[in-house]
Amino acid sequence: MARVLVVEDDQFVRSALIRHLKDASHVVRSVGTALEALREVAQYGFDVVILDLGLPDLDGAEALKMLRGITDVPVIIATARDNENEIVRLLNDGADDYLVKPFSVEHLSARMSAVLRRAQSGTGGGGGSGTVTERVLKVGGLAIDPLRRQAELDGMVLDLTRREFDLLAFLAGRPGVVVARKELLAEVWQQSYGDDQTIDVHLSWLRRKLGETAARPRYLHTIRGVGVKLEAPGEARA
């Protein structure tokens, strides 16, 4: 059972979502505007927010940014917009997942379950694999503490989102090992399928915070057609 906030102004869609979620034994609250959503999140504790973009008072993308300013509750975007640039922007702005309307209740349930598992596991799959331990993981100048959920680079604390930390910690538990994208989806995103673009977006933002680029990597190395590895500078092999 999860505490879910549905932010949707279309009464028909909203009612269908509420009915489905309640049938699945979730506790549901719902609002039809962005400002109401912000008030709800500030007042109540939710496990996940389902956020429509076409809200009457404020665009959902702006609402997402405002939500991220007050909470790290997982947010699933429900949108009729399928523009690739829009989806990338939403992921960059802090969305945990997105669904393009129309979608089935089964699809929503699967995405919700994956997001909730990630939030509950805290280390993005480390508990399931047993390879990310309680010790501080060190790779070159990187130090990742899974228990404190803190990462440092050359002694400076990195300001990482929950997903960026999960991705970095997972790779740091396997230094020098090329991890396939399929494995990243399964272990970090806890999804058996998904869009590689989701991984690329988070890798891009993580690289920026590590002071590198895909063209000039220091720690994060993409092996075309194979996967990604985390390796200390000077240790990377061709």
PDB file of all heavy atoms in Angstrom, residues 64-90:
ATOM      1  N   LEU A  64       6.614  20.699 -11.417  1.00  0.00           N
ATOM      2  CA  LEU A  64       7.634  19.709 -11.058  1.00  0.00           C
ATOM      3  C   LEU A  64       8.838  20.390 -10.421  1.00  0.00           C
ATOM      4  O   LEU A  64       9.359  19.936  -9.398  1.00  0.00           O
ATOM      5  CB  LEU A  64       8.051  18.918 -12.294  1.00  0.00           C
ATOM      6  CG  LEU A  64       9.235  17.957 -12.124  1.00  0.00           C
ATOM      7  CD1 LEU A  64       8.890  16.839 -11.145  1.00  0.00           C
ATOM      8  CD2 LEU A  64       9.649  17.370 -13.476  1.00  0.00           C
ATOM      9  N   LYS A  65       9.290  21.482 -11.024  1.00  0.00           N
ATOM     10  CA  LYS A  65      10.438  22.198 -10.472  1.00  0.00           C
ATOM     11  C   LYS A  65      10.137  22.713  -9.065  1.00  0.00           C
ATOM     12  O   LYS A  65      10.988  22.660  -8.173  1.00  0.00           O
ATOM     13  CB  LYS A  65      10.807  23.371 -11.383  1.00  0.00           C
ATOM     14  CG  LYS A  65      11.365  22.963 -12.743  1.00  0.00           C
ATOM     15  CD  LYS A  65      11.687  24.186 -13.573  1.00  0.00           C
ATOM     16  CE  LYS A  65      12.199  23.802 -14.954  1.00  0.00           C
ATOM     17  NZ  LYS A  65      12.484  24.995 -15.786  1.00  0.00           N
ATOM     18  N   MET A  66       8.910  23.201  -8.877  1.00  0.00           N
ATOM     19  CA  MET A  66       8.533  23.711  -7.560  1.00  0.00           C
ATOM     20  C   MET A  66       8.428  22.582  -6.549  1.00  0.00           C
ATOM     21  O   MET A  66       8.831  22.729  -5.387  1.00  0.00           O
ATOM     22  CB  MET A  66       7.214  24.472  -7.666  1.00  0.00           C
ATOM     23  CG  MET A  66       7.308  25.732  -8.524  1.00  0.00           C
ATOM     24  SD  MET A  66       5.729  26.579  -8.785  1.00  0.00           S
ATOM     25  CE  MET A  66       5.478  27.276  -7.149  1.00  0.00           C
ATOM     26  N   LEU A  67       7.916  21.439  -6.973  1.00  0.00           N
ATOM     27  CA  LEU A  67       7.852  20.278  -6.086  1.00  0.00           C
ATOM     28  C   LEU A  67       9.245  19.861  -5.647  1.00  0.00           C
ATOM     29  O   LEU A  67       9.479  19.544  -4.478  1.00  0.00           O
ATOM     30  CB  LEU A  67       7.152  19.113  -6.792  1.00  0.00           C
ATOM     31  CG  LEU A  67       5.638  19.151  -6.877  1.00  0.00           C
ATOM     32  CD1 LEU A  67       5.130  18.042  -7.799  1.00  0.00           C
ATOM     33  CD2 LEU A  67       5.020  18.989  -5.487  1.00  0.00           C
ATOM     34  N   ARG A  68      10.174  19.866  -6.593  1.00  0.00           N
ATOM     35  CA  ARG A  68      11.539  19.452  -6.287  1.00  0.00           C
ATOM     36  C   ARG A  68      12.221  20.414  -5.316  1.00  0.00           C
ATOM     37  O   ARG A  68      13.212  20.066  -4.685  1.00  0.00           O
ATOM     38  CB  ARG A  68      12.355  19.321  -7.580  1.00  0.00           C
ATOM     39  CG  ARG A  68      12.119  17.999  -8.286  1.00  0.00           C
ATOM     40  CD  ARG A  68      12.686  16.864  -7.472  1.00  0.00           C
ATOM     41  NE  ARG A  68      12.208  15.567  -7.901  1.00  0.00           N
ATOM     42  CZ  ARG A  68      11.287  14.849  -7.276  1.00  0.00           C
ATOM     43  NH1 ARG A  68      10.729  15.296  -6.178  1.00  0.00           N
ATOM     44  NH2 ARG A  68      10.936  13.679  -7.722  1.00  0.00           N
ATOM     45  N   GLY A  69      11.674  21.623  -5.204  1.00  0.00           N
ATOM     46  CA  GLY A  69      12.229  22.563  -4.258  1.00  0.00           C
ATOM     47  C   GLY A  69      11.836  22.284  -2.816  1.00  0.00           C
ATOM     48  O   GLY A  69      12.476  22.787  -1.890  1.00  0.00           O
ATOM     49  N   ILE A  70      10.789  21.461  -2.631  1.00  0.00           N
ATOM     50  CA  ILE A  70      10.321  21.208  -1.266  1.00  0.00           C
ATOM     51  C   ILE A  70      10.316  19.732  -0.881  1.00  0.00           C
ATOM     52  O   ILE A  70      10.152  19.414   0.299  1.00  0.00           O
ATOM     53  CB  ILE A  70       8.896  21.783  -1.051  1.00  0.00           C
ATOM     54  CG1 ILE A  70       7.890  21.116  -2.008  1.00  0.00           C
ATOM     55  CG2 ILE A  70       8.895  23.290  -1.239  1.00  0.00           C
ATOM     56  CD1 ILE A  70       6.457  21.546  -1.761  1.00  0.00           C
ATOM     57  N   THR A  71      10.488  18.827  -1.853  1.00  0.00           N
ATOM     58  CA  THR A  71      10.425  17.409  -1.522  1.00  0.00           C
ATOM     59  C   THR A  71      11.164  16.572  -2.560  1.00  0.00           C
ATOM     60  O   THR A  71      11.334  17.004  -3.703  1.00  0.00           O
ATOM     61  CB  THR A  71       8.954  16.929  -1.461  1.00  0.00           C
ATOM     62  OG1 THR A  71       8.919  15.531  -1.137  1.00  0.00           O
ATOM     63  CG2 THR A  71       8.259  17.123  -2.792  1.00  0.00           C
ATOM     64  N   ASP A  72      11.608  15.378  -2.134  1.00  0.00           N
ATOM     65  CA  ASP A  72      12.214  14.446  -3.082  1.00  0.00           C
ATOM     66  C   ASP A  72      11.293  13.254  -3.326  1.00  0.00           C
ATOM     67  O   ASP A  72      11.736  12.200  -3.774  1.00  0.00           O
ATOM     68  CB  ASP A  72      13.587  13.964  -2.597  1.00  0.00           C
ATOM     69  CG  ASP A  72      13.495  13.192  -1.277  1.00  0.00           C
ATOM     70  OD1 ASP A  72      12.390  13.143  -0.687  1.00  0.00           O
ATOM     71  OD2 ASP A  72      14.520  12.640  -0.843  1.00  0.00           O
ATOM     72  N   VAL A  73       9.981  13.416  -3.024  1.00  0.00           N
ATOM     73  CA  VAL A  73       9.025  12.339  -3.262  1.00  0.00           C
ATOM     74  C   VAL A  73       9.067  11.938  -4.745  1.00  0.00           C
ATOM     75  O   VAL A  73       9.178  12.805  -5.616  1.00  0.00           O
ATOM     76  CB  VAL A  73       7.591  12.775  -2.869  1.00  0.00           C
ATOM     77  CG1 VAL A  73       7.111  13.956  -3.704  1.00  0.00           C
ATOM     78  CG2 VAL A  73       6.618  11.612  -3.015  1.00  0.00           C
ATOM     79  N   PRO A  74       9.055  10.653  -5.055  1.00  0.00           N
ATOM     80  CA  PRO A  74       9.072  10.226  -6.457  1.00  0.00           C
ATOM     81  C   PRO A  74       7.886  10.800  -7.234  1.00  0.00           C
ATOM     82  O   PRO A  74       6.759  10.814  -6.738  1.00  0.00           O
ATOM     83  CB  PRO A  74       8.979   8.702  -6.358  1.00  0.00           C
ATOM     84  CG  PRO A  74       9.536   8.376  -5.014  1.00  0.00           C
ATOM     85  CD  PRO A  74       9.119   9.510  -4.130  1.00  0.00           C
ATOM     86  N   VAL A  75       8.160  11.284  -8.444  1.00  0.00           N
ATOM     87  CA  VAL A  75       7.129  11.876  -9.302  1.00  0.00           C
ATOM     88  C   VAL A  75       7.087  11.144 -10.633  1.00  0.00           C
ATOM     89  O   VAL A  75       8.113  11.028 -11.319  1.00  0.00           O
ATOM     90  CB  VAL A  75       7.396  13.377  -9.540  1.00  0.00           C
ATOM     91  CG1 VAL A  75       6.359  13.949 -10.522  1.00  0.00           C
ATOM     92  CG2 VAL A  75       7.373  14.151  -8.227  1.00  0.00           C
ATOM     93  N   ILE A  76       5.914  10.641 -10.977  1.00  0.00           N
ATOM     94  CA  ILE A  76       5.684  10.035 -12.293  1.00  0.00           C
ATOM     95  C   ILE A  76       4.870  11.021 -13.112  1.00  0.00           C
ATOM     96  O   ILE A  76       3.781  11.427 -12.709  1.00  0.00           O
ATOM     97  CB  ILE A  76       4.931   8.701 -12.182  1.00  0.00           C
ATOM     98  CG1 ILE A  76       5.731   7.689 -11.355  1.00  0.00           C
ATOM     99  CG2 ILE A  76       4.634   8.137 -13.573  1.00  0.00           C
ATOM    100  CD1 ILE A  76       4.999   6.370 -11.117  1.00  0.00           C
ATOM    101  N   ILE A  77       5.407  11.429 -14.242  1.00  0.00           N
ATOM    102  CA  ILE A  77       4.706  12.348 -15.127  1.00  0.00           C
ATOM    103  C   ILE A  77       3.715  11.567 -15.977  1.00  0.00           C
ATOM    104  O   ILE A  77       4.063  10.546 -16.577  1.00  0.00           O
ATOM    105  CB  ILE A  77       5.689  13.096 -16.047  1.00  0.00           C
ATOM    106  CG1 ILE A  77       6.671  13.938 -15.217  1.00  0.00           C
ATOM    107  CG2 ILE A  77       4.936  13.967 -17.051  1.00  0.00           C
ATOM    108  CD1 ILE A  77       6.044  15.070 -14.466  1.00  0.00           C
ATOM    109  N   ALA A  78       2.470  12.041 -16.031  1.00  0.00           N
ATOM    110  CA  ALA A  78       1.455  11.467 -16.920  1.00  0.00           C
ATOM    111  C   ALA A  78       1.126  12.538 -17.946  1.00  0.00           C
ATOM    112  O   ALA A  78       0.562  13.583 -17.605  1.00  0.00           O
ATOM    113  CB  ALA A  78       0.216  11.075 -16.127  1.00  0.00           C
ATOM    114  N   THR A  79       1.492  12.322 -19.192  1.00  0.00           N
ATOM    115  CA  THR A  79       1.393  13.382 -20.188  1.00  0.00           C
ATOM    116  C   THR A  79       0.949  12.869 -21.550  1.00  0.00           C
ATOM    117  O   THR A  79       1.200  11.713 -21.898  1.00  0.00           O
ATOM    118  CB  THR A  79       2.752  14.091 -20.337  1.00  0.00           C
ATOM    119  OG1 THR A  79       2.676  15.067 -21.382  1.00  0.00           O
ATOM    120  CG2 THR A  79       3.844  13.092 -20.701  1.00  0.00           C
ATOM    121  N   ALA A  80       0.295  13.736 -22.294  1.00  0.00           N
ATOM    122  CA  ALA A  80      -0.046  13.424 -23.678  1.00  0.00           C
ATOM    123  C   ALA A  80       1.072  13.865 -24.608  1.00  0.00           C
ATOM    124  O   ALA A  80       1.048  13.560 -25.803  1.00  0.00           O
ATOM    125  CB  ALA A  80      -1.355  14.120 -24.058  1.00  0.00           C
ATOM    126  N   ARG A  81       2.070  14.559 -24.064  1.00  0.00           N
ATOM    127  CA  ARG A  81       3.190  15.041 -24.879  1.00  0.00           C
ATOM    128  C   ARG A  81       4.221  13.937 -25.043  1.00  0.00           C
ATOM    129  O   ARG A  81       4.701  13.375 -24.069  1.00  0.00           O
ATOM    130  CB  ARG A  81       3.841  16.248 -24.203  1.00  0.00           C
ATOM    131  CG  ARG A  81       2.856  17.348 -23.824  1.00  0.00           C
ATOM    132  CD  ARG A  81       3.536  18.428 -23.009  1.00  0.00           C
ATOM    133  NE  ARG A  81       2.559  19.302 -22.367  1.00  0.00           N
ATOM    134  CZ  ARG A  81       2.884  20.283 -21.529  1.00  0.00           C
ATOM    135  NH1 ARG A  81       4.166  20.509 -21.237  1.00  0.00           N
ATOM    136  NH2 ARG A  81       1.942  21.017 -20.988  1.00  0.00           N
ATOM    137  N   ASP A  82       4.562  13.643 -26.295  1.00  0.00           N
ATOM    138  CA  ASP A  82       5.533  12.576 -26.545  1.00  0.00           C
ATOM    139  C   ASP A  82       6.780  13.097 -27.240  1.00  0.00           C
ATOM    140  O   ASP A  82       7.554  12.338 -27.820  1.00  0.00           O
ATOM    141  CB  ASP A  82       4.903  11.453 -27.370  1.00  0.00           C
ATOM    142  CG  ASP A  82       4.367  11.934 -28.719  1.00  0.00           C
ATOM    143  OD1 ASP A  82       4.450  13.152 -28.992  1.00  0.00           O
ATOM    144  OD2 ASP A  82       3.860  11.097 -29.484  1.00  0.00           O
ATOM    145  N   ASN A  83       6.983  14.424 -27.157  1.00  0.00           N
ATOM    146  CA  ASN A  83       8.168  15.023 -27.750  1.00  0.00           C
ATOM    147  C   ASN A  83       9.412  14.607 -26.979  1.00  0.00           C
ATOM    148  O   ASN A  83       9.462  14.719 -25.753  1.00  0.00           O
ATOM    149  CB  ASN A  83       8.028  16.554 -27.749  1.00  0.00           C
ATOM    150  CG  ASN A  83       9.240  17.247 -28.342  1.00  0.00           C
ATOM    151  OD1 ASN A  83      10.195  17.527 -27.635  1.00  0.00           O
ATOM    152  ND2 ASN A  83       9.204  17.503 -29.638  1.00  0.00           N
ATOM    153  N   GLU A  84      10.417  14.132 -27.679  1.00  0.00           N
ATOM    154  CA  GLU A  84      11.619  13.604 -27.033  1.00  0.00           C
ATOM    155  C   GLU A  84      12.328  14.659 -26.199  1.00  0.00           C
ATOM    156  O   GLU A  84      12.769  14.391 -25.075  1.00  0.00           O
ATOM    157  CB  GLU A  84      12.568  13.054 -28.100  1.00  0.00           C
ATOM    158  CG  GLU A  84      13.842  12.454 -27.548  1.00  0.00           C
ATOM    159  CD  GLU A  84      14.706  11.847 -28.640  1.00  0.00           C
ATOM    160  OE1 GLU A  84      14.254  10.899 -29.308  1.00  0.00           O
ATOM    161  OE2 GLU A  84      15.826  12.345 -28.835  1.00  0.00           O
ATOM    162  N   ASN A  85      12.445  15.874 -26.733  1.00  0.00           N
ATOM    163  CA  ASN A  85      13.121  16.938 -25.989  1.00  0.00           C
ATOM    164  C   ASN A  85      12.375  17.277 -24.706  1.00  0.00           C
ATOM    165  O   ASN A  85      12.976  17.580 -23.678  1.00  0.00           O
ATOM    166  CB  ASN A  85      13.251  18.185 -26.862  1.00  0.00           C
ATOM    167  CG  ASN A  85      14.239  17.991 -28.000  1.00  0.00           C
ATOM    168  OD1 ASN A  85      15.164  17.186 -27.899  1.00  0.00           O
ATOM    169  ND2 ASN A  85      14.030  18.706 -29.084  1.00  0.00           N
ATOM    170  N   GLU A  86      11.047  17.227 -24.779  1.00  0.00           N
ATOM    171  CA  GLU A  86      10.234  17.508 -23.600  1.00  0.00           C
ATOM    172  C   GLU A  86      10.471  16.459 -22.526  1.00  0.00           C
ATOM    173  O   GLU A  86      10.600  16.760 -21.331  1.00  0.00           O
ATOM    174  CB  GLU A  86       8.750  17.533 -23.995  1.00  0.00           C
ATOM    175  CG  GLU A  86       7.791  17.707 -22.845  1.00  0.00           C
ATOM    176  CD  GLU A  86       7.578  19.166 -22.478  1.00  0.00           C
ATOM    177  OE1 GLU A  86       8.250  20.033 -23.064  1.00  0.00           O
ATOM    178  OE2 GLU A  86       6.753  19.427 -21.596  1.00  0.00           O
ATOM    179  N   ILE A  87      10.520  15.189 -22.936  1.00  0.00           N
ATOM    180  CA  ILE A  87      10.734  14.099 -21.991  1.00  0.00           C
ATOM    181  C   ILE A  87      12.108  14.209 -21.339  1.00  0.00           C
ATOM    182  O   ILE A  87      12.257  14.039 -20.120  1.00  0.00           O
ATOM    183  CB  ILE A  87      10.567  12.735 -22.692  1.00  0.00           C
ATOM    184  CG1 ILE A  87       9.098  12.541 -23.078  1.00  0.00           C
ATOM    185  CG2 ILE A  87      11.030  11.593 -21.794  1.00  0.00           C
ATOM    186  CD1 ILE A  87       8.851  11.354 -23.992  1.00  0.00           C
ATOM    187  N   VAL A  88      13.122  14.521 -22.125  1.00  0.00           N
ATOM    188  CA  VAL A  88      14.473  14.687 -21.592  1.00  0.00           C
ATOM    189  C   VAL A  88      14.499  15.829 -20.581  1.00  0.00           C
ATOM    190  O   VAL A  88      15.107  15.724 -19.512  1.00  0.00           O
ATOM    191  CB  VAL A  88      15.482  14.953 -22.726  1.00  0.00           C
ATOM    192  CG1 VAL A  88      16.838  15.363 -22.159  1.00  0.00           C
ATOM    193  CG2 VAL A  88      15.639  13.718 -23.596  1.00  0.00           C
ATOM    194  N   ARG A  89      13.819  16.932 -20.904  1.00  0.00           N
ATOM    195  CA  ARG A  89      13.786  18.080 -20.008  1.00  0.00           C
ATOM    196  C   ARG A  89      13.119  17.715 -18.685  1.00  0.00           C
ATOM    197  O   ARG A  89      13.574  18.119 -17.610  1.00  0.00           O
ATOM    198  CB  ARG A  89      13.047  19.244 -20.668  1.00  0.00           C
ATOM    199  CG  ARG A  89      13.005  20.508 -19.819  1.00  0.00           C
ATOM    200  CD  ARG A  89      12.597  21.708 -20.662  1.00  0.00           C
ATOM    201  NE  ARG A  89      11.252  21.575 -21.171  1.00  0.00           N
ATOM    202  CZ  ARG A  89      10.161  21.960 -20.511  1.00  0.00           C
ATOM    203  NH1 ARG A  89      10.286  22.483 -19.300  1.00  0.00           N
ATOM    204  NH2 ARG A  89       8.975  21.840 -21.039  1.00  0.00           N
ATOM    205  N   LEU A  90      12.053  16.929 -18.750  1.00  0.00           N
ATOM    206  CA  LEU A  90      11.355  16.521 -17.532  1.00  0.00           C
ATOM    207  C   LEU A  90      12.250  15.652 -16.650  1.00  0.00           C
ATOM    208  O   LEU A  90      12.285  15.809 -15.426  1.00  0.00           O
ATOM    209  CB  LEU A  90      10.077  15.763 -17.888  1.00  0.00           C
ATOM    210  CG  LEU A  90       8.963  16.609 -18.507  1.00  0.00           C
ATOM    211  CD1 LEU A  90       7.891  15.711 -19.120  1.00  0.00           C
ATOM    212  CD2 LEU A  90       8.353  17.533 -17.472  1.00  0.00           C
TER     213      LEU A  90
END
